[in-house]
Amino acid sequence: MQTQPLSTTRPYSRRDWQTGYRSLEQELDYAIEDVAGEIPPELEGTLFRNGPGRLELGGQRYRHPFDGDGMVCAIALRNGRAHFRNRFVRTEGFVAEQQAQKILYRGVFGTQKPGGVLSNAFDLRRKNIANTNVIYWGGKLLALWEAAEPYRLDPRTLETLGPDDLKGGLKPGEAFAAHPWVDPASELDGGEPCLVNFSISPGLSTRITVYELNPAGDVVRRYSHSVPGFAFIHDFVITPHYCIFFQNAVSFNPLPFVLGQKGAGECVQFHPEKPTQAVIISRRGDHEKRVISVNSGFVFHHVNAFEAGKTLVVDSISYDSLPTLEPGQDYREVDFDALAPGQLWRFRFDLASGSVAQQKLDERCVEFPVVHPDRVGRDYRYLFVGAAHEPTGNAPLQGVLKVDLQTGDRQLWSAAPYGYGSEPIFVPRPGATAEDDGWVLVLIYNAERQKSELVILDGRDLGRGAIATLRLGHHVPYGLHGSFTPE
Ligand code: 3ON
Ligand code: FE
């Protein structure tokens, strides 16, 4: 009898992957000349991306990349040519630390000030690091971090203009989450687009505040609800009539944070045996709230949601468990095989009966989903998502998966074995009618060159491979979210 050897070959190497977690200290401004293939001339606008640009300071590494200082990249595409620019967001804390050249603030995910527990105990201040998303709305470019106010940047130079209170729409101390959605045709605004975002004010009970902004950037509606217990809600979803929040089953023990032993984020514990509370808030009238329990696993990101009669359909990326770093453990030494992958799920909430049906749509490890901007909150056919190379198991993102929710067809574009992925962005082709007719833009870290490249794919057929590869002259550390604006 023949036995098959256990396969030890992987499409990735952890050593390679790690090299993407280096700070990019330089701020650059140059025309991208090294282009393979052709940038479609109709693809015009600017891709903005945000993420941790600095991962250490004063000889001390940050404990977690989510503590890294926000650095925004802008790749402008015009007439088939491209230009790169990057700048750090000069938040108050960043400027102070830049001057001191040492860590002055504790990070939410466990970065500590030098000097041990004693110098960290009872320091409950938070450094706004503006590192999670960047959007262009109401004529403003805003860098977002979910625990504080947005920072406004000059869209041409990326120079930091300062904190922004949305023309007084945000009260002092109020946060603005990093996951706004644009409702492409808001019913309460005569079909105009409307940006919908939220803030979480955590505590013994949690206040969820929703902000709806018109295209001029005014907060035209704001409404709040309190839910019992602590909440860690990173993202949400909208439909024309509802906002839906997944209040993951977590508890918070502030003691190690207060005593200077852990970051606040490290004091959040996930209880997989307990259900998530799906908080469904009406976007109109008196904004009534409805709560439905669902066994969803832990959800950071949602894909989209839509209404089908009395059913609310929510598509999300779910984890069976949440990773925790052991004291002293380096995040770059992660054992991918020991962690739960993020997987695509569909939840159907029956608003009449309060029952939920759920279904895993795919086994593959995925993160950072995106849909056509005109399909946000509407029944939709296609999604694109950052994906692992192999169809099962937990692994770093190395490509883009396209899922046809109508036929079940899937297409994977992979940059393995040397490419490491990030959030794809879908840009519709001007004048197109088909939902997948556009381009998928994804920043890939190429570990062989130790530099990054922007890959442009054809949304209709990922199998065509890169239409264009724009090779940067340096790396960009693995980022979080971004957006494309035709301007
Ligand atoms: O103390 C409370 C708990 C808490 C965690 C309240 C709080 C508001 C201070 C808080 C803060 C939360 C923050 C600041 C969250 C920031 C999250 C962040 C920067 C990123 C989240 C990313 C999520 C995912 C799923 C990333 C995936 C990345 C990969 C697959 C790697 O390529
Ligand atoms: Fe996110």
Side-chain angles (χ1 to χ4, degrees):
M1 202 173 87
Q2 268 196 323
T3 55
Q4 269 208 301
L6 273 176
S7 168
T8 52
T9 54
R10 294 180 193 284
Y12 68 90
S13 120
R14 192 175 68 180
R15 286 273 287 283
D16 281 350
W17 170 80
Q18 288 174 346
T19 62
Y21 276 125
R22 284 172 288 134
S23 304
L24 175 63
E25 295 282 348
Q26 303 96 317
E27 297 187 312
L28 304 153
D29 185 340
Y30 62 93
I32 305 171
E33 305 288 2
D34 188 356
V35 177
E38 202 191 333
I39 303 171
E42 310 158 87
L43 174 54
E44 287 209 313
T46 307
L47 174 70
F48 292 106
R49 303 226 31 97
N50 200 351
R54 166 183 281 162
L55 299 157
E56 74 237 273
L57 184 60
Q60 189 190 332
R61 285 198 70 86
Y62 294 171
R63 177 148 164 84
H64 197 283
F66 297 169
D67 281 343
D69 303 279
M71 182 196 74
V72 171
C73 298
I75 299 180
L77 304 170
R78 203 155 306 283
N79 298 321
R81 301 188 52 80
H83 186 97
F84 179 91
R85 190 175 272 122
N86 73 304
R87 307 249 359 220
F88 281 91
V89 187
R90 284 169 171 69
T91 65
E92 205 187 319
F94 176 86
V95 170
E97 290 189 328
Q98 181 73 357
Q99 251 150 35
Q101 278 300 302
K102 68 171 189 191
I103 296 175
L104 303 174
Y105 291 86
R106 305 173 68 191
V108 169
F109 292 95
T111 302
Q112 300 280 56
K113 294 186 289 180
V117 167
L118 276 183
S119 78
N120 287 278
F122 306 110
D123 183 354
L124 310 185
R125 295 172 307 153
R126 264 200 305 257
K127 175 175 69 158
N128 183 349
I129 50 177
N131 73 353
T132 313
N133 203 347
V134 53
I135 57 165
Y136 187 73
W137 186 258
K140 293 177 183 172
L141 185 67
L142 299 172
L144 307 179
W145 184 62
E146 69 195 67
E149 71 277 28
Y151 260 78
R152 184 174 177 189
L153 313 176
D154 181 317
R156 313 243 169 263
T157 63
L158 299 183
E159 184 192 338
T160 301
L161 303 175
D164 194 275
D165 71 356
L166 310 176
K167 304 187 198 176
L170 279 187
K171 295 180 193 147
E174 255 176 1
F176 196 62
H179 276 285
W181 287 100
V182 176
D183 178 343
S186 168
E187 286 187 9
L188 286 180
D189 303 302
E192 282 284 292
C194 165
L195 182 135
V196 188
N197 197 13
F198 67 100
S199 72
I200 295 295
S201 168
L204 292 178
S205 71
T206 296
R207 195 146 191 88
I208 303 174
T209 303
V210 179
Y211 309 93
E212 301 206 4
L213 281 68
N214 67 13
D218 304 288
V219 176
V220 288
R221 289 176 288 277
R222 65 171 281 158
Y223 40 96
S224 300
H225 275 287
S226 279
V227 293
F230 178 81
F232 178 18
I233 303 175
H234 174 73
D235 189 11
F236 77 134
V237 251
I238 62 167
T239 69
H241 303 115
Y242 301 99
C243 295
I244 304 111
F245 299 85
F246 275 25
Q247 186 184 9
N248 294 302
V250 295
S251 59
F252 181 65
N253 170 15
L255 215 59
F257 168 56
V258 174
L259 296 180
Q261 297 157 337
K262 286 184 176 182
E266 294 178 294
C267 299
V268 175
Q269 203 196 338
F270 175 46
H271 302 280
E273 72 289 353
K274 292 188 186 158
T276 294
Q277 305 303 322
V279 180
I280 302 163
I281 298 175
S282 171
R283 288 180 60 194
R284 45 171 77 198
D286 55 6
H287 304 291
E288 65 186 39
K289 174 189 76 173
R290 171 100 190 259
V291 179
I292 299 179
S293 285
V294 51
N295 293 311
S296 70
F298 192 97
V299 173
F300 279 104
H301 294 129
H302 299 282
V303 184
N304 198 9
F306 60 91
E307 299 163 25
K310 281 256 170 271
T311 301
L312 259 183
V313 182
V314 178
D315 294 339
S316 314
I317 312 287
S318 161
Y319 295 80
D320 285 343
S321 62
L322 267 192
T324 49
L325 275 178
E326 298 303 319
Q329 192 194 336
D330 185 330
Y331 64 83
R332 294 168 304 169
E333 303 298 324
V334 55
D335 178 0
F336 282 100
D337 297 330
L339 303 180
Q343 292 170 314
L344 207 53
W345 282 79
R346 171 160 283 190
F347 303 95
R348 293 172 179 277
F349 296 89
D350 182 334
L351 293 179
S353 69
S355 66
V356 191
Q358 59 192 79
Q359 179 195 1
K360 195 192 282 180
L361 298 181
D362 204 295
E363 286 293 323
R364 191 182 297 266
C365 170
V366 291
E367 243 323 334
F368 301 134
V370 65
V371 303
H372 189 299
D374 289 346
R375 305 314 307 163
V376 168
R378 277 85 184 152
D379 194 0
Y380 70 115
R381 177 164 176 185
Y382 298 106
L383 68 89
F384 300 90
V385 64
H389 180 80
E390 297 286 2
T392 59
N394 183 51
L397 305 178
Q398 292 195 281
V400 178
L401 180 73
K402 174 186 182 183
V403 179
D404 181 337
L405 293 160
Q406 210 168 77
T407 63
D409 283 352
R410 280 145 176 71
Q411 240 189 342
L412 178 78
W413 173 81
S414 172
Y418 295 115
Y420 295 90
S422 63
E423 175 192 65
I425 297 280
F426 180 80
V427 182
R429 193 169 59 81
T433 49
E435 193 184 312
D436 58 350
D437 190 355
W439 302 279
V440 177
L441 274 46
V442 62
L443 200 60
I444 297 289
Y445 172 67
N446 180 325
E448 198 177 27
R449 295 172 54 239
Q450 303 224 341
K451 290 174 182 172
S452 299
E453 46 208 35
L454 181 71
V455 171
I456 302 174
L457 304 168
D458 181 347
R460 285 165 303 182
D461 182 10
L462 300 191
R464 278 184 66 192
I467 304 173
T469 304
L470 288 61
R471 298 194 189 100
L472 307 183
H474 50 88
H475 83 295
V476 176
Y478 299 123
L480 291 164
H481 302 288
S483 54
F484 186 88
T485 168
E487 286 174 55

